[in-house]
Amino acid sequence: MQAPINPAAGPAGIYQQLSTEKREIRLLTIERASSTSLPLQCSIHKTSLNNCEKYLALSYTWGDENNTVPLELQGQTLHVTRNLESALRNISQMTKKLVIWADALCINQTDLSERVVQVRLMGDIYRNADHVFIWIGGTEEDGVLALDFIEMLGNAYCDLKSVDAAVDFINDPRVPQSLLDRSWTAVAQMLKRPWWTRIWTLQEAALAKEVSVICGTKSISLNPFYHTLLVLQTDAMTVPPKLKIRPDIKHAIVEAMYDPCVNARLSLWVDIIKETKAVELLELLSLCRVFAAKDARDKIYACIDLAKPIPGFNIDYVTPSHQVYTRFVVAYISHTKSLSILKEAGRDVSTQGSGNQLPSWVPDWTNADYRSRLKEELYHAAKDTEPRCSVLGNRLAVKGLLFERIETVELPRDRALVDWLRPALSGQSDVYDSMGIPQLQAYFRTFFTGQHPKTKGRLDPKDTSFFSPTISFCSFLSVDKEISSLLPQEIGAFATQSGMPLAQAILIFMLQQDDPDVTKAYWEWEAETHRDETRDMGLGHFSLKLGAANQWAFIMTSSGYMGLAPKWTQVDDQVCVLPGCCVPVVLRYAEGCYSLVGECFVLGLMDGEMLDGSDWEAQLRDFDIV
């Protein structure tokens, strides 16, 4: 929801009461202005979503609330932000008579109860609109050129069905390099416009039947935007090497393209539009941490219509945000019979200021610096059990299994790969006892949180997809002298005796205590695959993982289990498995109760190992988490 602007608060007589039962909304009718110097002439009328007339809907950002201009509404002068007025004025030039829904004018912003009802209808407002217009902004910064270029590149990709073919098309030698440079610069600027950062625009674009992006009076379909992003994205956080882009412009493109908000939109587009797949609410809330919302409650409210609803949780702008967040978590646990929402609740409780009123077990979705790294569908630490918990005020009383205390916490001071490898290989045994695999392979699986960096599924040595990230990992180890010096000496000796490259020797050593068929499968994969090409592809994903590693701390428990946990984890924190929670959690005990430190990955604990056997329920103990 946009915040109200007082000058447009609603002079008497403009806003007639809406019927909640009839699901009524208001629509603006705007006549095409005869002169840019004259205020827009607008009227407003009611209609019902149950039997609605044809209308358009506007997706935009509010803009500077101190920069306002007048328009005429129902014969009265109102002041609205210049960005809204510019959107309405430009769109009205594209049609003789414009009937459109725009929240700032169609909702009485001074009536809190009406705002609540209308926000509950917003998903249906955008679903029912014949067309949604995204106002990306004015023509400054070569905006029209950017749309032309994006339309051309996106359509080329769509028609040619190939990134390489689309790149070849855009690299046409007949096009002056100066024009290409100017076009790419305009694209980079376009991707940095405020619309991309506003949380409400996610559902406005995703739920619409038809969507167009407008800059000035230039209009294109939204699809070329996403097709262009698909062309530009690579496995190594850069752009396709064939593209003719000046280095400084390339840097600007990469910076804009891999902005968290742009990336989140692309991810949602792939899920919702391309794969027609429902988005899980928990994943969506995590994804949307990076988006801007003036009201903290909108971090939840703006996501509700994009996923399955949670019964018993309603939009409410009276209850304070910390209570809304807590109420949502309680409703989520009750509805899903799952505690997996706790994996979103990581934050440094030791430095949390008094201004944060959230219990440690309630996620703070306003914190853009944290999001869960462990996908719910990949892990089954508590198998298919249901939570055993109750909530009293800010206290979550839950039964769980205490695993072990954390004995080692290693932060990525310089390079995570080196910093973490030392403690991982410092034990007396070369074998990871809980799984019977080499310590080096255990470290590799831990570093990747047991997840394949490209397929996003679980790492499985019995699947040939396991070998690509493995050889990439081994290549990193082999070319870094500091790292290779930490490896067991027999690896170097084996490489010398066999004459094979060190990276290959490391990989064979990692696999040697697995099923012999795995090693055989590797050699077959090696013979059939262009390994250099595959390795380069894997190196890109591995580089991404190296960057993500800065969000974690490497941990080892008292009996030598390896894992990753939030970087604010401390020695003597405890690893626990809670029935109903897909991943283990780290708890910290103080003053008679526990605080939730966050989720964790512990190799050998992610598939319900603590619940094996018939007596696990007898081991349950009570945890009061505040």
Side-chain angles (χ1 to χ4, degrees):
M1 272 298 296
Q2 301 282 8
I5 295 179
N6 289 332
I14 289 183
Y15 294 118
Q16 298 178 14
Q17 188 171 357
L18 298 174
S19 168
T20 302
E21 182 180 351
K22 295 179 181 179
R23 302 171 72 238
E24 285 186 331
I25 63 172
R26 299 186 188 91
L27 296 176
L28 282 171
T29 301
I30 304 174
E31 302 293 339
R32 183 187 297 179
S34 59
S35 170
T36 57
S37 62
L38 296 175
L40 286 175
Q41 300 294 315
C42 312
S43 61
I44 197 165
H45 65 280
K46 296 189 296 183
T47 189
S48 169
L49 285 173
N50 295 333
N51 186 22
C52 199
E53 63 191 270
K54 291 185 176 181
Y55 67 95
L56 309 174
L58 182 65
S59 176
Y60 71 110
T61 60
W62 192 272
D64 184 354
E65 296 180 26
N66 295 315
N67 185 3
T68 63
V69 292
L71 59 72
E72 299 293 324
L73 181 61
Q74 303 291 83
Q76 299 188 48
T77 300
L78 299 183
H79 282 77
V80 297
T81 62
R82 185 175 297 277
N83 194 51
L84 173 56
E85 195 272 350
S86 182
L88 297 175
R89 183 177 292 276
N90 279 276
I91 295 171
S92 69
Q93 297 301 307
M94 300 163 61
T95 179
K96 186 175 180 181
K97 188 177 182 181
L98 177 64
V99 179
I100 194 166
W101 187 90
D103 62 349
L105 289 171
C106 294
I107 300 174
N108 183 356
Q109 300 287 344
T110 62
D111 186 339
L112 189 59
S113 59
E114 179 180 305
R115 281 178 60 197
V116 168
V117 173
Q118 292 290 291
V119 170
R120 291 174 183 170
L121 294 176
M122 279 181 67
D124 287 336
I125 290 172
Y126 283 91
R127 284 190 191 95
N128 289 350
D130 278 8
H131 208 110
V132 170
F133 283 156
I134 294 172
W135 174 250
I136 204 76
T139 58
E140 64 275 6
E141 297 172 330
D142 275 338
V144 173
L145 177 63
L147 286 197
D148 285 336
F149 193 71
I150 287 168
E151 186 174 37
M152 181 172 62
L153 177 56
N155 288 341
Y157 171 72
C158 190
D159 293 340
L160 300 172
K161 312 298 183 187
S162 162
V163 170
D164 287 341
V167 169
D168 290 340
F169 174 81
I170 215 70
N171 282 341
D172 189 331
R174 293 169 295 180
V175 179
Q177 185 63 42
S178 60
L179 179 57
L180 280 176
D181 290 343
R182 182 180 165 196
S183 299
W184 282 120
T185 300
V187 170
Q189 294 298 329
M190 179 66 70
L191 293 176
K192 292 179 180 179
R193 294 200 177 195
W195 181 85
W196 297 89
T197 68
R198 177 177 164 246
I199 194 168
W200 279 105
T201 60
L202 277 171
Q203 71 161 11
E204 294 164 5
L207 299 178
K209 300 173 188 173
E210 298 287 339
V211 190
S212 293
V213 181
I214 298 178
C215 180
T217 56
K218 169 68 180 179
S219 171
I220 70 169
S221 168
L222 179 62
N223 282 348
F225 262 97
Y226 293 114
H227 291 147
T228 296
L229 291 175
L230 289 172
V231 169
L232 292 176
Q233 282 203 335
T234 69
D235 294 330
M237 276 192 81
T238 183
V239 296
K242 288 185 179 180
L243 278 176
K244 296 178 181 178
I245 305 180
R246 211 172 65 205
D248 59 320
I249 301 174
K250 176 181 176 181
H251 176 76
I253 283 283
V254 170
E255 184 180 58
M257 186 176 58
Y258 288 98
D259 176 85
C261 293
V262 175
N263 254 327
R265 286 181 186 277
L266 182 60
S267 175
L268 283 173
W269 177 76
V270 170
D271 283 348
I272 296 173
I273 300 175
K274 191 176 180 183
E275 298 181 3
T276 61
K277 181 174 71 175
V279 179
E280 292 297 328
L281 183 56
L282 201 56
E283 181 182 354
L284 185 61
L285 289 167
S286 180
L287 200 65
C288 289
R289 286 176 180 264
V290 297
F291 288 93
K294 289 185 178 180
D295 190 317
R297 293 166 289 198
D298 286 341
K299 288 283 193 168
I300 295 176
Y301 297 160
C303 295
I304 289 176
D305 278 306
L306 287 172
K308 296 176 182 177
I310 302 298
F313 180 78
N314 296 313
I315 291 173
D316 169 11
Y317 283 104
V318 176
T319 304
S321 58
H322 70 277
Q323 293 181 18
V324 169
Y325 281 28
T326 303
R327 186 163 54 84
F328 175 79
V329 173
V330 173
Y332 184 92
I333 293 172
S334 175
H335 173 63
T336 61
K337 309 298 182 189
S338 168
L339 285 177
S340 292
I341 196 169
L342 299 186
K343 71 189 184 69
E344 295 290 335
R347 60 181 174 275
D348 190 351
V349 291
S350 65
T351 61
Q352 179 174 303
S354 59
N356 193 330
Q357 297 174 283
L358 290 172
S360 67
W361 50 275
V362 174
D364 181 3
W365 282 290
T366 65
N367 180 6
D369 294 330
Y370 178 83
R371 63 172 293 197
S372 171
R373 302 284 175 181
L374 304 178
K375 288 185 174 293
E376 182 176 0
E377 65 270 19
L378 293 183
Y379 308 104
H380 311 281
K383 295 189 174 179
D384 58 354
T385 56
E386 293 188 359
R388 305 182 184 199
C389 64
S390 60
V391 176
L392 182 60
N394 284 346
R395 187 177 297 265
L396 176 67
V398 60
K399 289 187 179 293
L401 297 169
L402 177 63
F403 178 58
E404 290 180 1
R405 62 179 285 274
I406 294 173
E407 196 168 82
T408 300
V409 176
E410 194 74 37
L411 295 175
R413 295 181 302 275
D414 182 22
R415 292 180 300 162
L417 196 61
V418 181
D419 297 336
W420 296 350
L421 191 60
R422 289 190 184 95
L425 300 182
S426 63
Q428 298 298 315
S429 173
D430 290 334
V431 178
Y432 192 68
D433 290 338
S434 68
M435 300 176 70
I437 60 175
Q439 287 283 96
L440 190 57
Q441 185 186 145
Y443 174 64
F444 163 72
R445 293 195 192 188
T446 300
F447 188 83
F448 278 96
T449 59
Q451 179 179 328
H452 195 290
K454 185 172 184 181
T455 68
K456 305 304 181 185
R458 290 290 292 273
L459 279 169
D460 181 1
K462 294 179 173 59
D463 187 331
T464 55
S465 67
F466 176 81
F467 299 127
S468 174
T470 309
I471 195 64
S472 303
F473 173 81
C474 295
S475 296
F476 264 76
L477 299 185
S478 66
V479 300
D480 190 302
K481 292 183 179 179
E482 185 177 0
I483 295 177
S484 59
S485 67
L486 301 172
L487 300 176
Q489 293 182 354
E490 55 262 42
I491 295 179
F494 175 64
T496 301
Q497 293 170 5
S498 63
M500 68 174 58
L502 180 58
Q504 226 172 26
I506 296 171
L507 189 144
I508 297 301
F509 180 83
M510 285 173 59
L511 299 178
Q512 66 181 357
Q513 288 175 265
D514 265 322
D515 187 327
D517 289 342
V518 174
T519 305
K520 178 183 177 183
Y522 164 70
W523 287 117
E524 292 174 351
W525 172 84
E526 173 79 16
E528 295 173 2
T529 307
H530 299 294
R531 186 167 62 83
D532 289 340
E533 178 183 335
T534 306
R535 182 191 62 191
D536 291 342
M537 176 186 70
L539 286 176
H541 290 287
F542 192 70
S543 298
L544 294 179
K545 189 64 183 179
L546 283 170
N550 290 324
Q551 303 300 316
W552 291 105
F554 178 81
I555 62 170
M556 296 191 73
T557 68
S558 52
S559 67
Y561 277 72
M562 295 183 199
L564 299 178
K567 57 186 177 182
W568 45 83
T569 301
Q570 298 176 3
V571 172
D572 290 332
D573 287 344
Q574 298 173 332
V575 175
C576 302
V577 171
L578 307 178
C581 189
C582 62
V583 297
V585 296
V586 178
L587 298 180
R588 183 173 301 159
Y589 184 77
E591 300 179 359
C593 57
Y594 290 86
S595 294
L596 178 66
V597 176
E599 66 181 356
C600 65
F601 174 91
V602 178
L603 188 66
L605 210 63
M606 305 305 292
D607 294 301
E609 290 86 348
M610 281 203 72
L611 280 70
D612 288 339
S614 58
D615 63 340
W616 67 268
E617 291 186 271
Q619 307 300 319
L620 289 172
R621 54 175 293 179
D622 294 322
F623 298 94
D624 279 346
I625 307 176
V626 296

